[in-house]
Amino acid sequence: MLSFRIAQRARLDPLAWLHETKLVPGRFLKRLIRPLLGARLVQGLLLDPLAELAEHPLSRPFALRLQRRRQARNLAKLDAAGRPLVSVVMAARNAEATVTCALESLLAQSYGNLEIIVVNDASEDGTAALVTQLMARDPRISLISLPTQQGAALARNRGFERVTGNYICSHDADDRSRPDRIERQLVFLMRDPRRMAAVCAYRRIDRAGRPLRVNGALHHRSNPSLLFRRDPVLEELGGLAPMKRGEDSEYVARITARYGRQARALLYAPLLEAYFSPNSLLWSDSQVRQVGDNVVYDRSETAPTEAAKYEAWHQSITLGTSSPFQPFRPDETASDGR
């Protein structure tokens, strides 16, 4: 387990790993390696080599050919598995600036057997109208409109109540998925029957699509990219906890508590991109600023997160003394004793 954590840190955030590690001795030696690990080319090759090679003219034809072969293999595997339906649930609140891009990234997926459920969380802008326009273009999209604001977690729970797919996938209204995201994440999850959930890496971008670093790191683990088996996860765990933020991380932790560490897996490829907005809920409790291509904020201002309140519950789930079920709606009786 320790080796996995080292590998994860070294690949997702190699500069921070280099700064902290004792495996590379000597300040002088680290200074020699730091520029290499800081290069976007090197970080891209660490996480998704074919995608990185496809960005460069000399290697693009070779990389694209290999990508097409991989996609053909993945789609053949999914065909052999009966083309399982994936339900994508998206909560949207005043997201008219980003929801069209987010939905179009889903409609462009290489794996097309999707149902896309958008839960309009009492938006006060044109979010619902934009979703309705896309519904007329593609019947895979459906819309649930809530009369009062519920928050992202409870809004997505409404979507969970409607899903019919074999697998459930989360997607934020201000994110965009790469065309091969669901295909690759689904095959990655299905590869091991012990896996109940899989997440991928992501990077943050500005409005022009340029990559941004967050506190120096270019790539991050994306719990909002969660893709999980509907059965038995949804039946046993229920919905997301009614948290202001961090509900995805809590759900991943609950899956781990119930099924063990082998039940959740990380696909290192950055298959998701998230727009940076200083007004986002993610940064709401901290002072955040953008300096060039780096978003800087004080992590101490955002800690402890709400997820810390659930740690005792997770421990009791692991011990088998508490039920992992969380009601989909807050007016139902909770089973975790909080």
Side-chain angles (χ1 to χ4, degrees), residues 25-46:
R27 184 177 301 176
F28 178 70
L29 184 58
K30 289 186 178 182
R31 283 180 178 174
L32 292 178
I33 298 174
R34 184 173 290 111
L36 179 66
L37 291 182
R40 287 179 176 170
L41 172 62
V42 174
Q43 294 193 27
L45 290 173
L46 282 171

Side-chain angles (χ1 to χ4, degrees), residues 245-262:
R245 65 183 180 200
E247 67 276 1
D248 305 286
S249 298
E250 188 281 323
Y251 207 69
V252 172
R254 205 181 334 152
I255 289 171
T256 305
R258 171 61 184 86
Y259 302 108
R261 293 187 181 277
Q262 75 282 353

Side-chain angles (χ1 to χ4, degrees), residues 48-244:
D48 198 356
L50 290 184
E52 188 61 37
L53 291 172
E55 295 292 324
H56 302 278
L58 292 178
S59 56
R60 183 176 295 124
F62 172 72
L64 291 177
R65 186 163 59 250
L66 292 181
Q67 283 181 325
R68 286 193 292 268
R69 289 182 181 178
R70 179 180 63 195
Q71 183 176 107
R73 288 195 304 269
N74 285 344
L75 295 178
K77 291 177 182 177
L78 294 172
D79 286 341
R83 293 183 61 80
L85 178 65
V86 178
S87 299
V88 184
V89 178
M90 176 187 298
R93 164 76 180 171
N94 295 339
E96 65 178 2
T98 59
V99 70
T100 299
C101 182
L103 288 171
E104 286 181 340
S105 77
L106 291 171
L107 298 179
Q109 289 294 301
S110 56
Y111 184 69
N113 194 20
L114 311 174
E115 67 170 1
I116 304 167
I117 302 171
V118 182
V119 185
N120 174 32
D121 191 19
S123 294
E124 299 168 341
D125 61 2
T127 298
L130 292 172
V131 176
T132 302
Q133 291 176 14
L134 288 171
M135 286 172 59
R137 196 179 94 191
D138 197 307
R140 292 178 294 175
I141 303 175
S142 62
L143 176 65
I144 301 171
S145 288
L146 304 181
T148 58
Q149 184 181 358
Q150 301 292 306
L154 296 182
R156 265 196 281 167
N157 282 350
R158 295 295 185 93
F160 286 173
E161 292 178 317
R162 287 273 196 96
V163 297
T164 62
N166 311 86
Y167 297 86
I168 299 173
C169 177
S170 297
H171 201 291
D172 286 347
D174 57 354
D175 291 352
R176 67 184 189 189
S177 291
R178 271 182 25 187
D180 57 349
R181 177 205 159 187
I182 292 179
E183 162 218 324
R184 292 178 63 185
Q185 203 172 337
L186 182 58
V187 169
F188 179 68
L189 175 61
M190 294 172 61
R191 188 179 301 162
D192 187 339
R194 298 176 302 172
R195 291 175 182 166
M196 295 293 167
V199 298
C200 66
Y202 86 105
R203 64 182 182 179
R204 199 162 289 278
I205 58 175
D206 63 16
R207 291 299 176 188
R210 293 172 299 215
L212 298 172
R213 298 178 185 273
V214 178
N215 285 347
L218 187 59
H219 300 104
H220 314 267
R221 176 191 176 106
S222 174
N223 286 329
S225 71
L226 179 65
L227 189 151
F228 62 94
R229 301 178 189 270
R230 180 185 178 187
D231 298 325
V233 176
L234 202 63
E235 179 181 351
E236 293 191 358
L237 271 63
L240 299 168
M243 301 166 63
K244 181 180 177 182

Side-chain angles (χ1 to χ4, degrees), residues 237-296:
L237 271 63
L240 299 168
M243 301 166 63
K244 181 180 177 182
R245 65 183 180 200
E247 67 276 1
D248 305 286
S249 298
E250 188 281 323
Y251 207 69
V252 172
R254 205 181 334 152
I255 289 171
T256 305
R258 171 61 184 86
Y259 302 108
R261 293 187 181 277
Q262 75 282 353
R264 54 107 168 102
L266 167 64
L267 177 59
Y268 282 99
L271 302 177
L272 197 68
E273 293 179 326
Y275 287 109
F276 167 68
S277 171
N279 299 320
S280 169
L281 180 64
L282 176 64
W283 325 101
S284 59
D285 295 335
S286 63
Q287 296 296 318
V288 60
R289 65 188 187 280
Q290 184 176 345
V291 182
D293 68 347
N294 191 29
V295 175
V296 182

Side-chain angles (χ1 to χ4, degrees), residues 11-32:
R11 292 176 68 177
L12 286 179
D13 193 357
L15 291 179
W17 170 81
L18 180 67
H19 177 73
E20 297 173 4
T21 185
K22 296 180 181 178
L23 300 178
V24 180
R27 184 177 301 176
F28 178 70
L29 184 58
K30 289 186 178 182
R31 283 180 178 174
L32 292 178

